[in-house]
Amino acid sequence: MKIQQLKYVREIARRGLSISAAANALHASQPGVSNQVHQLEEELGLQIFERHGKRLTAITPVGESVIAMAERVLQDVDNIRQLAADSRSDQTGTLSIGTTHTQARYALPNAIKTFSEHYPNVHLNMVQGTPPEVAEMAATSKVDIAIATEGLSQFESLAILPCYQWNRCIVVPPGHPLLLAGKLSLEAIAEYPILTYVMGFTGRAQQDQSFTERGLHPNVVFTATDADVIKTYVALELGIGIIASMAFDPDKDAPLQAIDASHLFKPSTTHMGIRKGSYLRGYMYAFIEFFAGHLDKQTVKAAIEL
């Protein structure tokens, strides 16, 4: 039995039983992957996959157990490598973060800057994607840490830790009637075309719930994943924007103006997802604490230990 064979069967399971997709993901040839899986099954004397001709059609019951064990073995192998690297030097290595545009653009820069000053020889790899995408990256060890407001809870293999709470503001062009309307209300907002985040991003579901609870049906005419894009089209007077307050800078975003809306919406929480059972290197714990000061090493270790 070889470690590479376990990687192949795990990746085939992850890729919906597609040998070609697994081979592409692992930079291997399709015949090579298929041959190694056959060799493993012959060595074990059991079938991991059911087949119809050359096509894999299902995972056998015993195959489910084999793949679950392979997951644990491969995670332990990764942990051993991380432990060995930490023992050689706790000042060099790579930190991979999967996150959304909003977090990368507005929430992470200070933590990244502080981390880089303390660990100049650690390579930072930031991968942006949708919340489900970055959650899947963390669950499958493609990144060390996932940071997002939504999407992390769908993976039971992730330990989920709260980082910080945030709320929203309404962005309007200069001279907009809402600037003179006194205390802002959901009813007043709903009278205008709205530009905001795509569903599944940056607390959109929670935002919509506030309108629904008041029996309102806002006219959302434009959605985007990026607050900067939303602000661009607010400036073109397509409507008013609802964005995360942290995504508005009074100086850089002038002449647009922001109206605080934190009294109208429940706060959202940005979370961090880390695969349970992972070995985190010392600098990874340091980054987490730079980003969310209440998440010290002891707290994080307790959350990720199986």
Side-chain angles (χ1 to χ4, degrees):
M1 185 186 308
K2 301 174 183 176
I3 295 295
Q4 197 64 35
Q5 292 172 329
L6 299 182
K7 287 183 178 180
Y8 289 158
V9 297
R10 179 183 68 177
E11 198 63 32
I12 289 170
R14 287 178 176 177
R15 302 286 169 174
L17 304 182
S18 171
I19 296 177
S20 60
N24 288 336
L26 295 171
H27 308 291
S29 70
Q30 183 174 336
V33 171
S34 183
N35 182 52
Q36 286 298 314
V37 171
H38 276 295
Q39 287 186 27
L40 179 61
E41 288 178 321
E42 288 179 4
E43 179 183 348
L44 297 177
L46 54 82
Q47 264 195 301
I48 299 172
F49 301 105
E50 294 178 4
R51 293 171 174 81
H52 182 75
K54 293 184 177 181
R55 185 169 61 89
L56 304 185
T57 58
I59 303 172
T60 65
V62 69
E64 294 280 4
S65 298
V66 169
I67 291 169
M69 292 177 186
E71 283 276 9
R72 294 195 292 272
V73 169
L74 292 170
Q75 185 169 14
D76 283 342
V77 169
D78 287 340
N79 287 345
I80 290 169
R81 290 189 176 120
Q82 293 279 48
L83 174 64
D86 230 11
S87 67
R88 292 193 299 270
S89 170
D90 61 357
Q91 298 293 314
T92 61
T94 299
L95 172 59
S96 294
I97 302 167
T99 193
T100 62
H101 170 85
T102 298
Q103 302 300 326
R105 173 68 178 81
Y106 300 106
L108 282 164
N110 287 339
I112 294 290
K113 184 175 186 296
T114 303
F115 179 83
S116 296
E117 290 169 349
H118 284 77
Y119 297 92
N121 296 317
V122 173
H123 173 71
L124 277 162
N125 177 38
M126 186 179 292
V127 184
Q128 289 180 230
T130 66
E133 286 171 347
V134 301
E136 189 270 342
M137 291 176 200
T140 56
S141 299
K142 293 182 176 68
V143 298
D144 301 306
I145 299 166
I147 299 172
T149 299
E150 296 157 319
L152 301 183
S153 60
Q154 64 181 296
F155 289 92
E156 293 183 1
S157 60
L158 293 181
I160 301 172
L161 299 160
C163 297
Y164 68 96
Q165 286 191 327
W166 56 270
N167 216 307
R168 297 151 184 83
C169 66
I170 310 302
V171 181
V172 297
H176 194 279
L178 284 180
L179 293 168
L180 305 173
K183 189 173 182 180
L184 192 65
S185 67
L186 290 172
E187 287 78 6
I189 295 170
E191 291 180 5
Y192 297 93
I194 292 173
L195 291 65
T196 192
Y197 298 107
V198 173
M199 282 299 296
F201 274 79
T202 322
R204 172 68 191 277
Q206 195 166 6
Q207 174 182 306
D208 287 358
Q209 184 181 358
S210 296
F211 287 104
T212 301
E213 289 173 352
R214 296 293 292 270
L216 298 171
H217 303 281
N219 179 24
V220 177
V221 298
F222 179 93
T223 57
T225 61
D226 183 340
D228 292 335
V229 172
I230 294 170
K231 288 180 286 187
T232 296
Y233 288 93
V234 171
L236 294 176
E237 300 190 3
L238 267 66
I240 63 174
I242 305 179
I243 65 172
S245 296
M246 61 184 164
F248 187 85
D249 185 306
D251 297 322
K252 293 180 180 178
D253 293 323
L256 294 179
Q257 293 182 259
I259 307 170
D260 178 54
S262 59
H263 61 291
L264 300 177
F265 302 101
K266 294 177 182 176
S268 293
T269 303
T270 291
H271 292 88
M272 181 177 294
I274 306 170
R275 188 175 180 184
K276 295 175 183 175
S278 298
Y279 177 90
L280 298 188
R281 297 190 60 183
Y283 59 75
M284 296 177 183
Y285 285 110
F287 170 80
I288 292 169
E289 196 163 358
F290 290 147
F291 182 61
H294 62 287
L295 297 179
D296 58 21
K297 183 174 181 178
Q298 184 177 357
T299 300
V300 176
K301 284 191 72 173
I304 65 176
E305 286 178 353
L306 293 173

